[in-house]
Amino acid sequence: MERVNRLRVREYGIIIGEYCIGPKNSISDVKGVKVGHYTLIRGEGKLVPGHGPVRTGVTVIFPNDNIYRNKVIAAYHVINGFGKPIGLLQVGELGLLESPIGLTNTLNIGIVADALIEYTIRSNSDIDVYTFNPVVLECNDSYLNDIQGRHVRHNHVFKAIENLSNEVVEGSVGAGTGMVSFGFKGGIGTSSRKLSGKLGGYTVGVLVLTNFGYMKDLRINGVPVGLELRKFFRKDIEKNDGSVIVIVATDAPLNSRQLRRLAKRACNGISRVGGISSHGSGEFVLAFSTRNTVSYNDIVLFDETILNDAYLSPLFRAVIEATEEAVLNSLFKSETMKGRDNHIVYGIPIDKVLEILDSHGLVR
Amino acid sequence: MERVNRLRVREYGIIIGEYCIGPKNSISDVKGVKVGHYTLIRGEGKLVPGHGPVRTGVTVIFPNDNIYRNKVIAAYHVINGFGKPIGLLQVGELGLLESPIGLTNTLNIGIVADALIEYTIRSNSDIDVYTFNPVVLECNDSYLNDIQGRHVRHNHVFKAIENLSNEVVEGSVGAGTGMVSFGFKGGIGTSSRKLSGKLGGYTVGVLVLTNFGYMKDLRINGVPVGLELRKFFRKDIEKNDGSVIVIVATDAPLNSRQLRRLAKRACNGISRVGGISSHGSGEFVLAFSTRNTVSYNDIVLFDETILNDAYLSPLFRAVIEATEEAVLNSLFKSETMKGRDNHIVYGIPIDKVLEILDSHGLVR
Amino acid sequence: MERVNRLRVREYGIIIGEYCIGPKNSISDVKGVKVGHYTLIRGEGKLVPGHGPVRTGVTVIFPNDNIYRNKVIAAYHVINGFGKPIGLLQVGELGLLESPIGLTNTLNIGIVADALIEYTIRSNSDIDVYTFNPVVLECNDSYLNDIQGRHVRHNHVFKAIENLSNEVVEGSVGAGTGMVSFGFKGGIGTSSRKLSGKLGGYTVGVLVLTNFGYMKDLRINGVPVGLELRKFFRKDIEKNDGSVIVIVATDAPLNSRQLRRLAKRACNGISRVGGISSHGSGEFVLAFSTRNTVSYNDIVLFDETILNDAYLSPLFRAVIEATEEAVLNSLFKSETMKGRDNHIVYGIPIDKVLEILDSHGLVR
Amino acid sequence: MERVNRLRVREYGIIIGEYCIGPKNSISDVKGVKVGHYTLIRGEGKLVPGHGPVRTGVTVIFPNDNIYRNKVIAAYHVINGFGKPIGLLQVGELGLLESPIGLTNTLNIGIVADALIEYTIRSNSDIDVYTFNPVVLECNDSYLNDIQGRHVRHNHVFKAIENLSNEVVEGSVGAGTGMVSFGFKGGIGTSSRKLSGKLGGYTVGVLVLTNFGYMKDLRINGVPVGLELRKFFRKDIEKNDGSVIVIVATDAPLNSRQLRRLAKRACNGISRVGGISSHGSGEFVLAFSTRNTVSYNDIVLFDETILNDAYLSPLFRAVIEATEEAVLNSLFKSETMKGRDNHIVYGIPIDKVLEILDSHGLVR
């Protein structure tokens, strides 16, 4: 029933939005951005808290090679604050990100934060790292994973960092390993948009960790795919109340106020695929620009080039389109997974989806 | 080419979302809520600033018959803060609305605020109104209207109040008179949802003032209607950068923190019809509950019944659906209008829209 | 009993803080900033709502000569949101101030906003002002003034603008005419700080409209002056719950995020003189920088020089000191006033205050 | 030179503010609130990162005996967001605190968060804790402590919990072990206020972790004690940029919006002792009410009693006074400490302070 090779939505001719994608259609199209995963899949059958089965992992996003030294301008937005992010308030106050971004499961945030602290101390041993603001975001993978076990350990974070690459692997990998979205298997997805030269030529990349949405609400390019799929799938997984994390990267010359405006548009993208930001869905957005890095202890005055706000709308649209497509990629790239207590979450049935889309004459 | 009678979307068999509507499918389904308009249409031809042509008006929403005495719990949310609302910060601090809500054009906010002050003093002459927080929201109707003329005067506000009714007139009336949305004539729209008894039986009503959106982005129930309509209409109106105001009313027992959560979901509804919250689009949401009114100078302790947040998601969905439908109603009910400098904004061509929808097999 | 000439605190040898003042010890030490007042004092005796007695006015602050064309970077902070400011939300979203700042009484905000709209249209008749964000802040002068009368009319605002000067008049003038602070006559006060060259050489100017505070809480340089003064004055004026508006100007090269950080420090200054930000005290801060003006419709990219946040603390201290001193100046410069219903509010008794200070050996 | 027994400020006759204190003058005067510390002091001499010397610890505050089951209404406020708190955003969204509050050093936040997760899972083994929002706040003790070592481990947190008591130990204990405030040894302080029956009879308790302030700015009851003390102490410690955490507890019936208003008043208290909220000083406030506990998965509707906002000012004043006194207690109760690299931070010289206060005739 399942495809051997699950492709990204665009490879099936499903085109989201009007803007061009970047070369990799990935957050790594923003130069310097790299992503690394470490995936933990261990054990089967009945849940024994602390002992598995394990379906979880960690994902790290690096805006550049040494973010502690070359801090980037950043901002965050809370769509729905039922979640446990670490580090966002300082990002808001200073407009700076100085940490790799860690993604993991809800109960593993403490360990991953500590691992990022350790990593930052070690990789900057020539300077005295006496303060550091680790950034970790999370979704809840407890439907498939022994979440109480906090199975992501320090060395898994370090291995994820070793795995850093500008080739971003999607689907049930890293932090996405145990996630559920729209009743199907969710996880990591990414997408990008490259503005035309006339609009500034900037790149916007988005990476999502999807664990949100009710099957009945899923829309692809507006087609109510979820309503039709629901006839074939049982309902109970939909109880899982979810969460979604959206990371927005750009090379546009923006300050933190403007990045916050970009971050807010992730909500529009999430809504287009059918998200309702339900009570229990922790939805957080972190946006950064790789332009204008800051080594903030060095100099008194910066010279910054900043885009006029009047030219932001294309960047807003790019965020919306890339968020929408990244969510769909996370679904398309995630295979069926069986987890704790033999809970099964199916990969979205691509053939069936394509059939539905064709029947509405909307794509390809 | 235009229909003599423009009906609401639902009357054409277009069903938005899954929940039931209230008896009037209107914000006035929330008991006690009334809406009044005053419309100004005067003059034709070339703009003479201060002298017309005039295509504007004012709309007032009353949560109850004397909101100054019976303040309601309220909250606001800023989707995109390029706008000139009055009164929201105090609503946020105190969680209370003590003013009728006035809607008008951008440059008329001062006069409408002053008129609401005068009205409140007059209608409470037995008590000393020495402080009062008027609430006014706006969109920019300058494409059709001599906006510099600030043609809405005090007596127009009072007349709108005289026109208060629980039968809400939609389309190019009141504050909606000169608005443009998705390249078509926008204005006032409303819709409601009534939750089942199992979900609490609460009513959510939404009223929108629409002046936002690019034609190409318009979606109805997911169908990219705007993309197809665009073939028939010229582009220039799309420059108009818009704004949208969303008023959310409910009888659910919510505190201001919870109402803010509801208010945030208007963004999801706006996104579903294709809004991208562009740079220049002032998008503000004001939500109130008619339960638990407060005469705050009287008593020391209130006994309030408050809904557990875990039961909010159906109310979120109701806000989303009602916002989406209210926007569509504002379009369907607005006729073609010619304004200043002979600018013409067409009413959305309903027959054409229905044809497009039928061709996608999505409605009716 | 009262001094013929009321001087500013510093002229009595009362030195607040450690930093140097600017040449005028005024907000106008920030180059380009001007302030104008129009004062309305009419009638005596019993209040006849709408007919007086009148003890009110309007104050305008211009960051430069044409703020609509040369917008300045700005930010706001809400210490306590029980107040009716106009225009702050857009300032927050765009980080720009495009309006003269109007100060007036609570119920006059609508008229003053409309007057600023009219002024801006008129003074920019060569460009099409179809959108504009007027900024008005207020305190409540109803203890002395017929506030329901909204006696500040359009022409008074225009006259205040004619009165613009870099010589800032303090005390019971303009918007300060009818204000009460710490049980004494409050009103307009200003002060400035000039950082040493080593700290950047920047100037910070503060202007306050004071209408807050309980007599018992008043401290001058830490000395509990209010507690001692209270023995001589009756209590009832203290019921007046107040408000205070703080305008912070600087020539330091700051973005809006940083200006918001400065704005937050006004709370520290207010606290030092004894403010407790009581429930009914609307306390709002608006901060702007005259550096980096923006004519935002013109160009795509700005080159900005921005101060590193690590060097902000001296500016914070400057805001705190200047706020504290500006509040004291507003008290020292305000003479006794009799208003509606023969309410009398005494000017702070300077000789007595000096005597108390001397007895503590803290000043001069 | 140092006193054998350091007492609390009030025991020296220094009375802060006008309100009565609670029986213990402690956050534990709010019924049910308990505090536990674990202190780590190990090694001497030169810093060997990861190996000491260790001058740090952890403090836990329990609003009640099982906060996960009996969540309390809560809110937070950011005075200055240069800090690394965990858990505040969810507190803001839901208005609920479901975690013991952990205090520790900046780089130990991850481990302490993980320990609170483990503790919560273990102590609720009969229910499935699959989601949990740990709350941890921090200050930076790197002047005295080998902060990179993250010497606070899981078992130290558990021991702090074992040490829970309503007798709150102050000074250089727990998280306060290595802190510096106003150039002197800082740490943990607490104080409370009990409103008269006429004002509702409510109790407000405050606990602070102090690591902020410049010596020259220290004021006690307004007296510029710091300026005079500075003559006797060298300056370099003042470089330490600080931070302060304020925990506000009350039994008043408040919702989260109101608690946020209380939280904001901590800034007034901090300012009174001379705080300027400098750039690097992370200043965060967390406020909770023990009234109206919420077991939020159980019931659909709550009946809550809520205080009218018009009666909040006495609670504001209580927060301000208790914050001011708690800060002073943290100084008075902290003895001289020698830490890493033989850095010495002196306990504030109480006899000298009393002498200065006496010379101003302000206390006792």
Side-chain angles (χ1 to χ4, degrees), chain A residues 89, chain D residues 76 85-93 133 135 137 284-286:
Chain A
L89 288 173
Chain D
Y76 76 93
I86 295 181
L88 298 187
L89 288 172
Q90 180 166 318
V91 168
E93 180 79 28
N133 182 43
V135 170
L137 300 112
F284 297 88
V285 192
L286 178 60

Side-chain angles (χ1 to χ4, degrees), chain A residues 91-96 202 253 255-257 260-261 264-265 291 294-311, chain C residues 91-96 202 253 255-257 260-261 264-265 291 294-311:
Chain A
V91 168
E93 180 79 28
L94 302 183
L96 289 177
Y202 305 118
N255 64 26
S256 60
R257 179 184 54 73
R260 181 153 183 267
R261 300 188 77 193
K264 285 183 127 182
R265 270 61 189 180
R291 191 86 163 262
V294 178
S295 178
Y296 77 98
N297 283 314
D298 293 335
I299 54 166
V300 179
L301 292 166
F302 301 106
D303 288 310
E304 288 187 343
T305 297
I306 297 292
L307 188 67
N308 187 327
D309 280 71
Y311 297 86
Chain C
V91 168
E93 181 79 29
L94 302 184
L96 289 178
Y202 305 119
N255 64 26
S256 59
R257 180 185 53 73
R260 180 153 183 268
R261 299 187 77 193
K264 284 182 127 184
R265 271 62 187 179
R291 191 84 164 264
V294 178
S295 177
Y296 77 98
N297 282 313
D298 292 337
I299 55 165
V300 178
L301 292 167
F302 301 105
D303 288 311
E304 287 188 343
T305 297
I306 297 293
L307 188 66
N308 187 328
D309 280 71
Y311 297 86

Side-chain angles (χ1 to χ4, degrees), chain A residues 116-185:
Chain A
L116 292 178
I117 292 168
E118 191 167 323
Y119 169 78
T120 299
I121 292 171
R122 279 193 202 170
S123 55
N124 295 281
S125 56
D126 56 326
I127 48 176
D128 181 16
V129 179
Y130 64 91
T131 183
F132 167 64
N133 182 43
V135 170
V136 182
L137 299 113
E138 52 72 40
C139 292
N140 198 304
D141 56 16
S142 60
Y143 186 75
L144 291 174
N145 178 48
D146 167 27
I147 194 167
Q148 292 191 346
R150 288 117 68 224
H151 294 283
V152 179
R153 311 304 300 174
H154 286 65
N155 64 316
H156 303 138
V157 177
F158 304 147
K159 283 179 180 164
I161 293 173
E162 287 170 20
N163 292 336
L164 279 171
S165 165
N166 59 8
E167 300 291 335
V168 181
V169 183
E170 295 170 298
S172 295
V173 291
T177 304
M179 303 299 169
V180 183
S181 196
F182 294 100
F184 295 107
K185 191 65 195 64

